[in-house]
Amino acid sequence: MIKVALPKGRIADDTLEIFRKIFGLTFIFEDRKLILDEGDFRFFLVRNQDIPTYVTEGAADIGVVGLDVLEEHKVDVVRLLDMRVGNCKVCVGVRQDDTIDYTRPEIKIATKMPNIARNYFAQKAIALKIIKLYGSIELAPLVGLADAIVDVVETGTTMKQNGLKVAETIMQSSAHLIANKNSFIIKKDEILSLYHKIKAEISK
Ligand code: PRP
C-alpha cells in the first residue's frame, strides 16, 4: 500500500481526478473524512503547509505539494514530478496606488512565507521587517500593518477585490509529486510505477 498526502482543496481534487483516470476507481472523500482507502492507496487530506511534515516524517510515502511550499520549508524529500496542476505564482503585492519605495529605511512585509520573502529581498540589500501572518494576508497593507505583502496569486481575484496589485513576481509554482527518502528505497517499484502512470496521464 502507498500512503499519499494531499493538500485539501483544488490540488487534492485535481490529483484524485488523475488517479481516477489512471485506475478507474472512485477516489471520493466523504464530507469531513480525512482518510480514504482505495485500491492500493491510502490518501490523507491535510493542510498544504503540513504536507512536507507528513512526507519527511514518513507518515505518508508520497505527497503532492506546491513548489512554493517546498521552497519555503527547504524540504528533504525526493522530488519526482511536476503534476502540472495548482499553477500559481508568489508575488509581492502593494496597494493599487502604491509602489515599493526601496529608498525607505525599512520595508514591512506581511506574509505566510517568511523564508521566500527574506531570500527575495536579501538580493535587494534593504532593511526588512517580516510580519508573519497565517491567512488573509491581503488585509495587511490596507490597515497599515505592512507596506507590502508576499503571497500566492492564483486567479488574482483576492488582490483585485482588495485594491491590491502585483508589484513583482518572485516565482512560479505548481504542484509537485514528492516522496519520502526511505519509502523511495523500500517501495521503489510501486512508487516508480505510479510515477510513470501519472507522467503518462498528464502528458496526454
Ligand atoms: C490564498 C492566497 C491568497 C489567495 C490567492 O489564500 O494566500 O489569499 O489564495 O488566490 P487568488 O489569486 O485566486 O485570489 P487561501 O485561499 O489559501 O486562504 P488564506 O488567506 O486563509 O491562506
Side-chain angles (χ1 to χ4, degrees):
M1 171 171 285
I2 300 181
K3 293 171 285 178
V4 189
L6 297 176
K8 285 180 187 178
R10 273 264 321 267
I11 292 178
D13 295 343
D14 290 348
T15 304
L16 289 170
E17 183 60 28
I18 292 169
F19 274 78
R20 270 179 221 121
K21 284 181 179 158
I22 296 171
F23 298 101
L25 299 167
T26 43
F27 296 108
I28 293 170
F29 274 88
E30 282 171 40
D31 195 20
R32 304 290 295 171
K33 208 111 196 264
L34 301 174
I35 295 182
L36 170 70
D37 285 333
E38 194 76 73
D40 295 329
F41 301 100
R42 171 165 288 178
F43 295 95
F44 307 144
L45 219 45
V46 309
R47 282 295 295 262
N48 195 26
Q49 296 90 336
D50 291 334
I51 297 274
T53 306
Y54 279 84
V55 177
T56 51
E57 294 293 324
D61 298 309
I62 61 174
V64 179
V65 67
L67 190 60
D68 54 323
V69 176
L70 293 177
E71 285 301 309
E72 177 63 23
H73 298 286
K74 293 288 170 224
V75 191
D76 191 21
V77 291
V78 183
R79 289 190 193 189
L80 290 170
L81 185 67
D82 181 347
M83 300 276 288
R84 300 190 199 165
V85 296
N87 296 320
C88 61
K89 51 190 182 174
V90 179
C91 297
V92 182
V94 292
R95 289 194 313 272
Q96 284 286 358
D97 56 356
D98 207 1
T99 52
I100 301 176
D101 180 3
Y102 284 108
T103 62
R104 290 174 74 132
E106 181 186 73
I107 295 183
K108 279 199 275 183
I109 302 284
T111 186
K112 53 185 166 191
M113 316 172 115
N115 293 324
I116 290 177
R118 210 172 278 117
N119 288 341
Y120 180 71
F121 283 100
Q123 300 161 13
K124 298 185 179 279
I126 49 144
L128 194 68
K129 181 171 183 187
I130 298 282
I131 297 173
K132 174 81 167 77
L133 296 175
Y134 294 88
S136 302
I137 316 295
E138 291 83 357
L139 183 62
L142 306 179
V143 298
L145 182 61
D147 302 308
I149 63 170
V150 166
D151 200 14
V152 169
V153 177
E154 194 180 340
T155 61
T157 308
T158 312
M159 276 209 187
K160 200 171 172 200
Q161 289 193 358
N162 290 290
L164 301 184
K165 66 180 179 190
V166 171
E168 294 169 26
T169 297
I170 299 178
M171 65 177 284
Q172 301 288 333
S173 179
S174 57
H176 281 56
L177 184 68
I178 58 170
N180 171 274
K181 285 188 160 178
N182 285 332
S183 299
F184 192 62
I185 295 167
I186 297 161
K187 301 185 181 179
K188 188 160 192 172
D189 291 346
E190 295 108 296
I191 291 174
L192 279 183
S193 162
L194 177 64
Y195 158 84
H196 286 300
K197 283 176 183 147
I198 294 176
K199 196 173 177 191
E201 180 57 42
I202 63 177
S203 305
K204 276 181 186 169

